[in-house]
């Protein structure tokens, strides 16, 4: 991710995407894709109020014939009101590390099985990015997020995160010649300190290694890892943390 809710955004070091090949544009394929997200209960972030507020929700019903999408009511009343008043809303989720993003117009309040819910018209197109590197967000440099690897051979080690997404994390090795952390290696007892939201206890598998040169001229190695055993509760925590980082980034920029 780079700016997880900006349509088609990529990080500054990445080339711009040709979004046409990542776009679903027929009503049948859009409804089918969103129905799959609903069936599996994936968490969805909805940004409203010009990106100033967001809720975490789940899709409740996708009705292809009616052309509507029903999703769960948010926990905060004020944020719900902002969403109802918002004319443009951006939906983002990342089931199995594949980013789905689309935009709708104003949503409506409806009743769903006796409870309040939101309803929106199905979008005209949905962006479905297959590559994880396009929706990561960098972690704070001044206050690094640390990953404690308890089952690193001989003694535990702490690695500083470079970025984080629902697909995985990338981290700096303490020294370029640090043993272990080869592609395909797994570490089952890892703890990510996602302050102030809490700790994430997760397994990690090394998927790639990248040699880099830091601003001070020192050589460094960054490893990219995917999650092992990601549960819905863990997914929610990561999504909340990514949303928090994005709000902080926007506050600094704006």
């Amino acid at each position: 991710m780079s700016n997880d809710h900006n349509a088609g955004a990529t990080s500054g070091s990445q080339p711009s995407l040709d979004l046409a090949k990542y776009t679903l544009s027929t009503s049948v394929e859009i409804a089918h894709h969103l129905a799959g997200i609903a069936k599996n209960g994936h968490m969805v972030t909805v940004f409203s109020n010009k990106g100033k507020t967001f809720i975490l929700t789940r899709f409740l019903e996708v009705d292809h014939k009616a052309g509507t999408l029903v999703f769960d009511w948010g926990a905060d009343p004020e944020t719900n009101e902002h969403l109802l008043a918002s004319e443009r809303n951006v939906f983002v989720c990342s089931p199995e590390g594949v980013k789905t993003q689309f935009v709708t117009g104003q949503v409506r309040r409806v009743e769903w099985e006796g409870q309040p819910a939101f309803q929106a018209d199905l979008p005209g197109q949905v962006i479905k990015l297959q590559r994880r590197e396009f929706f990561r967000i960098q972690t704070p440099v001044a206050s690094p997020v640390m990953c404690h690897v308890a089952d690193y051979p001989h003694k535990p080690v702490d690695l500083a995160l470079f970025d984080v997404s629902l697909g995985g994390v990338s981290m700096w090795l303490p020294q370029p010649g640090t043993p272990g952390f080869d592609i395909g290696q797994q570490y089952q007892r890892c703890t990510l300190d996602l302050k102030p939201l809490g700790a994430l206890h997760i397994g990690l598998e090394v998927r790639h290694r990248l040699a880099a040169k830091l601003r001070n001229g020192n050589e460094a190695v960054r490893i990219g890892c995917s999650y092992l055993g990601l549960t819905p509760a863990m997914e929610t925590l990561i999504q909340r943390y990514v949303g928090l980082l994005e709000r902080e980034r926007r506050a600094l920029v704006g």
Side-chain angles (χ1 to χ4, degrees), residues 143-160:
S143 178
V145 178
M146 303 303 294
C147 175
H148 182 74
V149 184
D151 56 345
Y152 182 68
H154 308 305
K155 64 176 183 178
V157 65
D158 294 303
L159 307 182

Side-chain angles (χ1 to χ4, degrees), residues 27 31 62-68 122:
S27 61
V62 179
D63 190 329
H64 177 224
K65 290 184 179 179
T68 56
L122 284 177

Side-chain angles (χ1 to χ4, degrees), residues 10-222:
T10 63
S11 65
S13 61
Q14 295 286 356
S16 60
L17 279 171
D18 175 12
L19 288 179
K21 60 185 176 183
Y22 299 101
T23 301
L24 307 179
S25 55
T26 71
S27 61
V28 172
E29 61 184 356
I30 288 172
H32 177 75
H33 181 59
L34 299 186
I37 294 172
K39 180 180 179 181
N40 289 296
H42 292 296
M43 295 300 300
V44 180
T45 305
V46 185
F47 292 93
S48 61
N49 191 24
K50 297 181 179 178
K52 297 175 183 175
T53 57
F54 71 93
I55 68 168
L56 287 174
T57 185
R58 285 186 170 93
F59 295 157
L60 300 174
E61 181 187 54
V62 179
D63 190 329
H64 177 224
K65 290 184 179 179
T68 56
L69 166 68
V70 177
F71 56 100
D72 209 3
W73 199 245
D76 179 60
E78 183 177 356
T79 306
N80 289 338
E81 291 302 318
H82 281 305
L83 177 53
L84 287 170
S86 179
E87 295 180 354
R88 182 180 186 273
N89 306 292
V90 180
F91 291 67
V92 177
C93 68
S94 300
E96 281 80 48
V98 177
K99 179 184 175 185
T100 293
Q101 179 173 302
F102 60 89
V103 177
T104 72
Q106 198 152 7
V107 304
R108 306 169 285 279
R109 174 177 172 152
V110 295
E111 294 293 315
W112 172 263
E113 297 183 350
Q115 299 294 326
F118 295 105
Q119 184 186 68
D121 293 336
L122 284 177
Q125 63 179 26
V126 170
I127 297 172
K128 182 182 174 186
L129 291 178
Q130 301 286 353
R131 298 180 61 187
R132 296 180 177 182
E133 61 266 37
F134 288 112
F135 52 93
R136 295 180 179 273
I137 188 166
Q138 291 188 15
T139 50
V141 176
S143 178
V145 178
M146 303 303 294
C147 175
H148 182 74
V149 184
D151 56 345
Y152 182 68
H154 308 305
K155 64 176 183 178
V157 65
D158 294 303
L159 307 182
L161 265 66
F162 174 73
D163 59 25
V164 60
S165 79
L166 277 174
V169 296
S170 68
M171 305 181 289
W172 296 107
L173 294 185
Q175 300 292 334
T178 300
F181 299 106
D182 297 319
I183 294 174
Q185 282 193 311
Q186 296 183 355
Y187 299 90
Q188 302 292 343
R189 297 166 54 203
C190 303
T191 303
L192 301 179
D193 188 11
L194 304 182
K195 296 177 180 178
L197 301 181
L200 176 68
H201 303 285
I202 191 81
L204 295 173
E205 178 179 335
V206 180
R207 302 299 294 270
H208 66 262
R209 293 170 61 101
L210 176 68
K213 183 168 286 190
L214 303 179
R215 290 180 179 177
N216 60 12
N218 292 339
E219 297 289 333
V221 174
R222 199 167 79 220

